[in-house]
Amino acid sequence: MDKKVAFYTLGCKLNFSETSTIARSFNDEGFDRVDFSEKADIYVINTCSVTENADKRFKTIVKQAQKVNPEAFVAAVGCYAQLKPQELADVEGVDLVLGATEKFKITDYLNDLSKNDFGEVHSCEIEEADFYVGSYSIGDRTRAFLKVQDGCDYKCTYCTIPLARGISRSDTMENVLKNAKEISAQNIKEIVLTGVNIGDYGKGEFGNKKHEHTFLDLVTELDKVEGIERLRISSIEPNLLKNDTIDLVSKSRAFVPHFHVPLQSGSNDILKKMKRRYMRELYVDRVSKIKEVMPHACIGVDVIVGFPGETDEHFLETYNFLNELDISYLHVFTYSERDNTEAAEMDGVVPKNVRSKRSKMLRGLSVKKRRAFYESQIGTIRTVLFESENKEGYINGFTENYVKVKTPWNPELVNTLHEVELSEIDADGLVRFQFVNQMVS
C-alpha cells in the first residue's frame, strides 16, 4: 500500500508554490497525495508568520488532522516554523518542525513515521538560508504561481519576513524560463510571478549583490515564452516598479494590466517609522504612470492600520489619500506586534478596538473602490479566463484587468479564454456579461 500525504498551506502565494514543490518530492518517494480532510499517514502544514491568527489557526489545523487520523505523523514547515520552532513543537500532536532551509528536504527526515513523544525541531540559523530553491504550484487551478525570488533585504520595522526567509536571492533566468515552459506545456493559461520582494529580482542565488539580470530583463524574456496566454505580476514594491516595466506591460503580449503595489500608509510620518523606502508622493507618481499608459488597469493596494504612533490624523491622511487615488481595491491588514521587530518596541501603541474600527473603515472604502472600478468597465470588451469551481450553480472568471465575472455553470468553459462584453454588476457584486464571439483559446 502506498503511503498517503496531505498538505495544508497558510499564507501567501509563495507558500502555495513551495507546498507544490514539497509535494512533488513526496511523489518521487512513492507517496499518494490526498486532500487534507482525508485520512493520511503524514500531514504537512506550511505555516505563515504574517498575522496573529496564523498562530491560532495552526493549532486548529493540527487538531483537524488528528481527528481524521490520531496515528498520523504531523510536520510543520515554513515561516512560522523558522521563527518559533519550539512553540510549534510544543503543540500537541506535532512530530517534526522544519525551518527555512530544511523544508525542501523534508523526505530525508521521515525515516519511520512513528509518532514522536515530542516535536523534533530542525531549524537552521537564518543566515544559512542563502541557497535558492525554485518552485511553482499547479493544482486545481487554471493558473500557476511561479516563484522567481525569495527573502528580503529591506528592514521594514513591522516585518518578520527577513527573519523567516533570509536575504534576498533570485532564481536564475534559465531556470525561471524552464519552469515557465514546463507550466505552459500543461495547458495552464495563466502564470502569476511570486516572491517575497520580486522587484528585487536579480540578486544572485546566494544573495550576492551582483545583478546579472534585472526584473525588467525577466519580464521581457517571460513575455516571449510561447504557450503562456497570461502573465501577472503579484506584488511589487512602489520604489522597484520602474517606468520601463510599466511601459513593457502596457505593450506586452502576455502581461496583464493588473498591479498590486503595497503602500502600507498614506502618511509620510508613518512611512518613515515603518522604514519604507519611499514617500507617498512616489506612490502617486506610480499610480499616475500606470493609469496614463493603461487607463483600464486594475491597481490593488496593501495598507496596514493601527501601526504604533498612528494618530487619528495620520489615519485620516491615509483614508483621504486612498479615497482620492485612482486605485481599484485594498488589502487591509490590522497591525499586530511581532517578536524581534523594531515596531514591537515603539511607543504610541494603538488600542485594539481603534485598530479594528480603522480596519472596518478601510474595508468599506475598498468595497466602494472595487465597485467604482467595476462600473468603469461596464460596456467594455475584455477577455475572461474561467475557473474550475462550480459555485452554487455559477462559474466565475477574471478578466485580464481582474474584474470578477459570473455566468451559469458550464463545465466546458473551465480553463478557457473568451471575449466578453461586461454588461452589469450583479447583486453579489460580480459582473455579468455577454459572449462577444467564440473561444479565444
Side-chain angles (χ1 to χ4, degrees):
M1 264 275 288
D2 277 348
K3 289 209 158 52
K4 294 186 167 64
V5 61
F7 295 88
Y8 197 107
T9 306
L10 290 159
C12 62
K13 291 170 179 162
L14 184 56
N15 272 2
F16 278 94
S17 74
E18 292 183 344
T19 297
S20 285
T21 298
I22 295 167
R24 286 194 284 276
S25 70
F26 273 92
N27 291 350
D28 298 344
E29 299 286 331
F31 280 83
D32 285 336
R33 182 173 180 176
V34 297
D35 192 75
F36 202 81
S37 59
E38 295 174 47
K39 187 170 179 178
D41 301 284
I42 300 188
Y43 292 92
V44 179
I45 304 166
N46 192 353
T47 62
C48 164
S49 68
V50 174
T51 59
E52 251 183 321
N53 295 345
D55 322 358
K56 297 182 189 120
R57 285 198 49 205
F58 176 75
K59 290 182 178 151
T60 314
I61 295 155
V62 173
K63 281 198 184 109
Q64 267 173 324
Q66 289 197 292
K67 208 179 252 171
V68 186
N69 182 6
E71 299 303 300
F73 190 89
V74 177
V77 301
C79 289
Y80 198 50
Q82 174 66 36
L83 286 174
K84 302 218 168 151
Q86 206 46 58
E87 224 167 88
L88 294 192
D90 292 343
V91 171
E92 197 176 324
V94 173
D95 299 294
L96 179 67
V97 178
L98 297 181
T101 56
E102 291 77 18
K103 61 188 170 193
F104 296 109
K105 308 190 287 253
I106 180 169
T107 50
D108 301 351
Y109 292 99
L110 305 173
N111 309 333
D112 62 337
L113 295 182
S114 50
K115 295 286 290 171
N116 291 331
D117 297 336
F118 52 87
E120 198 183 314
V121 174
H122 298 273
S123 87
C124 63
E125 288 305 311
I126 196 65
E127 287 69 44
E128 292 165 30
D130 62 355
F131 61 89
Y132 182 84
V133 177
S135 49
Y136 58 86
S137 75
I138 300 177
D140 44 348
R141 310 202 175 173
T142 41
R143 60 178 73 93
F145 297 110
L146 171 58
K147 173 178 158 186
V148 299
Q149 182 275 343
D150 200 348
C152 187
D153 295 340
Y154 286 11
K155 301 280 187 286
C156 302
T157 53
Y158 50 81
C159 185
T160 55
I161 286 176
L163 300 171
R165 285 188 170 271
I167 53 174
S168 175
R169 53 211 189 272
S170 313
D171 206 347
T172 60
M173 180 82 93
E174 301 88 68
N175 203 37
V176 173
L177 294 173
K178 176 177 94 51
N179 284 340
K181 286 172 186 145
E182 278 177 25
I183 293 167
S184 77
Q186 300 183 52
N187 190 29
I188 284 178
K189 303 277 196 270
E190 181 177 310
I191 291 180
V192 183
L193 301 185
T194 68
V196 172
N197 185 357
I198 61 174
D200 204 28
Y201 176 83
K203 288 186 178 161
E205 64 169 326
F206 298 105
N208 47 34
K209 298 292 185 253
K210 190 164 137 284
H211 281 59
E212 230 173 295
H213 297 288
T214 61
F215 184 67
L216 181 66
D217 297 338
L218 178 73
V219 291
T220 306
E221 289 309 308
L222 278 168
D223 200 32
K224 298 174 189 163
V225 175
E226 281 177 33
I228 302 169
E229 305 278 346
R230 280 186 177 181
L231 285 155
R232 204 179 286 277
I233 296 167
S234 63
S235 177
I236 184 164
E237 292 284 308
N239 49 308
L240 295 173
L241 177 56
K242 303 285 194 255
N243 284 349
D244 302 353
T245 304
I246 296 171
D247 285 331
L248 178 122
V249 170
S250 73
K251 302 185 184 80
S252 152
R253 176 192 69 82
F255 275 95
V256 294
H258 174 208
F259 294 88
H260 194 90
V261 190
L263 168 69
Q264 311 311 16
S265 174
S267 154
N268 282 344
D269 292 347
I270 299 295
L271 287 172
K272 284 178 192 149
K273 289 190 76 173
M274 289 177 165
K275 293 197 177 164
R276 300 292 286 156
R277 298 194 174 195
Y278 53 86
M279 292 287 107
R280 58 188 252 165
E281 291 71 18
L282 174 95
Y283 200 91
V284 173
D285 182 66
R286 299 298 74 207
V287 170
S288 313
K289 171 66 184 172
I290 292 168
K291 287 292 185 175
E292 175 198 323
V293 293
M294 291 169 273
H296 59 298
C298 176
I299 303 175
V301 184
D302 287 342
V303 202
I304 295 172
V305 296
F307 188 79
E310 184 186 62
T311 60
D312 287 347
E313 290 73 28
H314 289 134
F315 173 70
L316 283 174
E317 226 183 314
T318 295
Y319 187 93
N320 295 331
F321 179 72
L322 289 164
N323 194 21
E324 286 158 27
L325 210 53
D326 192 358
I327 50 147
S328 321
Y329 64 91
L330 305 171
H331 280 174
V332 184
F333 298 90
T334 305
Y335 172 74
S336 67
E337 285 77 3
R338 316 308 288 154
D339 289 347
N340 303 317
T341 58
E342 270 186 70
E345 311 295 314
M346 287 179 182
D347 298 337
V349 173
V350 177
K352 291 262 165 65
N353 61 330
V354 176
R355 294 182 209 184
S356 81
K357 190 177 112 194
R358 289 176 186 173
S359 170
K360 268 199 193 99
M361 280 176 72
L362 282 186
R363 285 205 296 269
L365 180 61
S366 181
V367 171
K368 193 177 98 174
K369 285 286 187 186
R370 192 184 299 264
R371 175 118 196 159
F373 175 63
Y374 281 9
E375 276 170 1
S376 74
Q377 297 303 300
I378 298 299
T380 62
I381 290 177
R382 298 279 169 238
T383 306
V384 170
L385 172 58
F386 288 99
E387 311 246 302
S388 53
E389 243 178 299
N390 181 340
K391 298 220 167 153
E392 294 167 12
Y394 286 92
I395 186 170
N396 294 340
F398 283 95
T399 63
E400 65 276 36
N401 60 342
Y402 217 56
V403 173
K404 193 173 187 181
V405 303
K406 65 185 279 197
T407 197
W409 170 253
N410 171 358
E412 286 173 18
L413 291 175
V414 169
N415 198 31
T416 60
L417 286 148
H418 291 262
E419 269 200 341
V420 304
E421 182 177 340
L422 303 179
S423 53
E424 61 177 325
I425 302 179
D426 213 21
D428 59 5
L430 305 189
V431 177
R432 299 283 200 152
F433 60 86
Q434 273 83 43
F435 285 102
V436 172
N437 60 11
Q438 287 320 300
M439 230 163 105
V440 179
S441 82

